[in-house]
Every structure is written in structure tokens, then in C-alpha cells.
Amino acid sequence: LNTRTYYRCGIDSLLTSKLAKCRIDGITSQHATAHAAAHAKWSPSTINRDLRTLRRALNLATEWGKLDKAPKIQLARGERQRDRVLSPDEVNQYLEACPHGDWHDAALLTVGTGMRPDDEVCKLRWEAVELNGSSGKIRIGDSKTLAGQRTIPLKAEVYEHFGIPNPAVMLRERHEAQGYPPKGWVFPRPSQSGHLTEDTYKIWHSKALDALAEDPDTPEFKTFEPYCLRHTFLTWLAPHLDVFALARLAGHTSIRTTQRYIH
């Protein structure tokens, strides 16, 4: 119902715009850019509602043989997306679309532990990882706050419950592929820092979202920021933990921060 209402509002808006006078086989990415510019006073979310509706229509026209290829529609920047909660199916779709193994594994670790993608996942070292079959734990000791210093359990039954891949299994396979190093970066990269960074993984993240947008099986996939993977896991866990346990797992200094996950 929410999806239908969302697209209905987008259709109503597009029908009153200059795009309504264009032939569908004549619409280009420039038309979408012009539509966004003409309504610059709108919020990015409202503009992107129209653009997602247009993109959906063009993808359907391609699927039905009315177009040879749908133009690429770029969304407006600035839309607030950090509160988006993905479903387990969406997480699995996203992981399958990840174009690089390093970010696939880092994204899985983020959504499977609730760790912060920049300061904790990218900078994770093997010295902090303890694996035991399909389970294990991660010790985070290098944190700006005392609350951030914590131990995160990796329990196979949790991932079976939510229906996503087990990050402990991924870490074991990754450790084996690297030759069982006793120490060092979990996600090493040929960069100045020596490990995966935000600048690099955001490129792969964007490519994954583009692949999902162009995939006819996932035309309604809503975009999100990488941080939403952490937000997603903590929201999933909220009904199963009290607020204090969730705060410890998340590394929150204030309970007020944790309360936003208690929906």
C-alpha cells in the first residue's frame, strides 16, 4: 500500500510537469536533470520521488519492449537516508550486487554486527578477531569513547534467524585466503592507510545501487547510505534485547541514542 501511494504521488506530480508532454522514447537523462532543477525549492526526497517514479516507468517500458534501453536517471543529492532499515531480502540482494569482494565482506560485517563502517569495520585487525567454527567474537578496543570499547559476539543462530550470511564464516574464509595471518588488517588495500577506506567503498556502494536500479528483478529498490547497514542490524535486534544491552552492543555513550531503535 505504501509503495502504491508513493508511486501514485509521483505520477500525479509528473503529469503536471513538462515531462508529461514528452514521448516516452524521447525522454533522456537531461530531461530528468531539468525536472530536478525546475523544482530545486522542493526537498531532495520529493524530487527523488518523482525521479524514482520516472525511472520505474522507463524500466517497465523497456521490459515491455516499448524502449530499447532506459536512460540512466540520477537522483538528487541531499536526501536523508541514514534511517532506512533494510529487510533481510534487501540485504541479500544488495550483497549479491556488490561489485568487489572487499566491500561485500565489509558490508556483511557491518550489517551482521552493527559495527561502524568507517572507524570499526574498515580498521578491523585480525588481532581483534576470535573465531570458533561458525561463531566467534570481535573485540573493539580502539575507540574514542569508553562505551565504544566492547566485545561483539558472532552467533550462527542470529544469522539463521534473520536469514543473512554468517559473517563469522566469511571471516574464517577470508583469514584462510590471506594465509592465516596472526595480525594485520582484515581489509588490506594498496592505499596510504593500508586498509579499506570510505572513499573506496562508497564507489563500490554506488555501483551496487546502480546495478540494483538497472536490474528488472529489483526495480523498486530504494537507495541508502552505507551507515544504514549498521542501523538495520541494531533495529533488527531491538525487539530481542533490552535498551541497555543494545546500547552496549552498539557502543552508544547515551541511552537516548539507543532509544531511536526501539520502534
Side-chain angles (χ1 to χ4, degrees):
L1 180 59
N2 289 337
T3 299
R4 183 175 62 185
T5 302
Y6 182 89
Y7 281 121
R8 171 53 61 187
C9 291
I11 290 170
D12 291 342
S13 179
L14 290 175
L15 287 176
T16 61
S17 72
K18 293 182 179 180
L19 284 168
K21 299 180 181 179
C22 298
R23 287 177 55 89
I24 195 168
D25 58 358
I27 294 177
T28 67
S29 57
Q30 284 76 19
H31 287 94
T33 301
H35 179 79
H39 301 92
K41 293 183 179 180
W42 293 0
S43 70
S45 297
T46 301
I47 294 173
N48 286 340
R49 178 204 61 198
D50 287 7
L51 297 180
R52 288 193 182 98
T53 303
L54 176 63
R55 184 169 64 186
R56 174 62 171 153
L58 294 170
N59 285 335
L60 283 175
T62 303
E63 182 180 340
W64 295 340
K66 303 298 182 181
L67 289 178
D68 294 331
K69 184 178 180 180
K72 189 173 183 179
I73 305 299
Q74 294 285 355
L75 298 180
R77 296 180 179 273
E79 183 177 9
R80 182 173 176 80
Q81 299 169 331
R82 296 189 73 173
D83 288 340
R84 168 138 147 69
V85 178
L86 282 72
S87 69
D89 285 343
E90 287 177 320
V91 167
N92 290 324
Q93 290 170 352
Y94 175 76
L95 292 174
E96 290 179 4
C98 286
H100 196 284
D102 280 351
W103 176 236
H104 171 280
D105 293 352
L108 172 58
L109 191 59
T110 304
V111 79
T113 62
M115 293 168 62
R116 297 176 176 89
D118 300 338
D119 296 333
E120 296 175 347
V121 172
C122 287
K123 297 180 181 179
L124 182 63
R125 297 181 64 86
W126 287 117
E127 300 96 303
V129 179
E130 182 177 326
L131 301 174
N132 181 18
S134 59
S135 298
K137 58 185 176 181
I138 296 174
R139 296 186 180 88
I140 300 177
D142 186 11
S143 177
K144 297 178 181 178
T145 65
L146 183 61
Q149 299 174 16
R150 63 201 190 279
T151 298
I152 298 178
L154 305 173
K155 296 186 177 181
E157 55 267 29
V158 172
Y159 309 112
E160 292 174 0
H161 173 77
F162 291 122
I164 64 172
N166 186 339
V169 174
M170 175 275 292
L171 287 170
R172 189 178 70 245
E173 294 174 349
R174 190 173 186 86
H175 199 217
E176 179 183 2
Q178 293 182 12
Y180 300 104
K183 59 182 180 179
W185 302 113
V186 174
F187 301 102
R189 294 292 300 168
S191 62
Q192 185 176 1
S193 66
H195 59 74
L196 182 64
T197 62
E198 180 181 8
D199 290 342
T200 300
Y201 77 63
K202 279 198 169 182
I203 294 174
W204 295 332
H205 172 69
S206 295
K207 289 182 177 180
L209 293 179
D210 287 344
L212 288 167
E214 295 170 0
D215 185 350
D217 293 330
T218 58
E220 299 177 8
F221 196 97
K222 296 181 181 179
T223 60
F224 65 93
E225 293 182 8
Y227 196 89
C228 289
L229 296 170
R230 164 177 160 85
H231 181 74
T232 289
F233 186 66
L234 296 178
T235 303
W236 286 354
L237 284 183
H240 307 282
L241 299 176
D242 63 64
V243 67
F244 299 103
L246 187 62
R248 288 196 297 272
L249 181 68
H252 290 156
T253 302
S254 172
I255 290 295
R256 290 184 179 180
T257 304
T258 313
Q259 288 176 332
R260 64 195 287 254
Y261 296 99
I262 312 299
H263 297 292

